Amino acid sequence: MKKIKIITVLFVILFSFSVNAQEKLEDKANAQVKEMKEKLSSANAQELTAEQEKGLTAIYLEKLKDIKKVKKEVADDTQQKEKIKELNKLYSKKIFDTVLTKEQKASLKAFNASKKEK
């Protein structure tokens, strides 16, 4: 009987850790969506629709999971940075190709260009 209780308690603890890790990734993804909304707002672009926000959140969540996986699997810092840089490019392209409108893309490109000048 004691063994069953101990196993149950351990299972609940492990489950709560995995749920907490998932929530952290979702919080980070939501923060990135918020940052994108602020960039578009600063660039006087069309606001994101609810559907676009869902798409961005899903893409950012997928990206964060892939980055976490790379950090786990690749020990060398230089290789890790290279792979993460590749992931950032891949997911940025995915966002541009699948989520943003032409106007939003143009506004975001102009915004990023003006930031580089400073």
Side-chain angles (χ1 to χ4, degrees):
M1 188 66 171
K2 282 186 178 181
K3 288 182 181 179
I4 293 174
K5 286 183 181 179
I6 291 171
I7 291 172
T8 304
V9 169
L10 289 175
F11 179 75
V12 169
I13 290 171
L14 289 173
F15 182 73
S16 67
F17 281 126
S18 70
V19 169
N20 191 23
Q22 180 70 22
E23 287 175 356
K24 285 183 182 179
L25 287 179
E26 287 176 6
D27 289 344
K28 286 182 180 181
N30 287 330
Q32 288 181 328
V33 171
K34 183 179 177 185
E35 184 180 326
M36 176 67 79
K37 287 170 74 173
E38 290 171 359
K39 284 181 181 179
L40 289 171
S41 176
S42 295
N44 297 321
Q46 177 186 16
E47 290 186 16
L48 294 172
T49 64
E51 188 176 310
Q52 284 178 310
E53 284 187 39
K54 282 183 187 179
L56 276 175
T57 303
I59 290 171
Y60 283 135
L61 193 56
E62 185 182 341
K63 173 184 153 187
L64 291 168
K65 285 179 183 177
D66 284 350
I67 288 173
K68 188 175 182 181
K69 189 176 176 183
V70 166
K71 287 182 177 183
K72 240 182 191 179
E73 293 174 355
V74 180
D76 183 50
D77 285 344
T78 307
Q79 288 179 342
Q80 218 178 62
K81 287 178 183 178
E82 278 182 37
K83 291 208 180 250
I84 290 172
K85 192 174 182 178
E86 288 172 18
L87 286 173
N88 285 332
K89 285 182 183 179
L90 174 78
Y91 283 103
S92 291
K93 182 172 175 21
K94 191 172 185 177
I95 289 168
F96 264 72
D97 292 345
T98 61
V99 178
L100 300 178
T101 65
K102 288 181 181 179
E103 179 194 77
Q104 289 168 330
K105 290 176 194 177
S107 297
L108 198 56
K109 283 181 182 178
F111 176 79
N112 289 334
S114 69
K115 276 189 86 173
K116 284 182 181 180
E117 290 175 3
K118 291 180 181 180

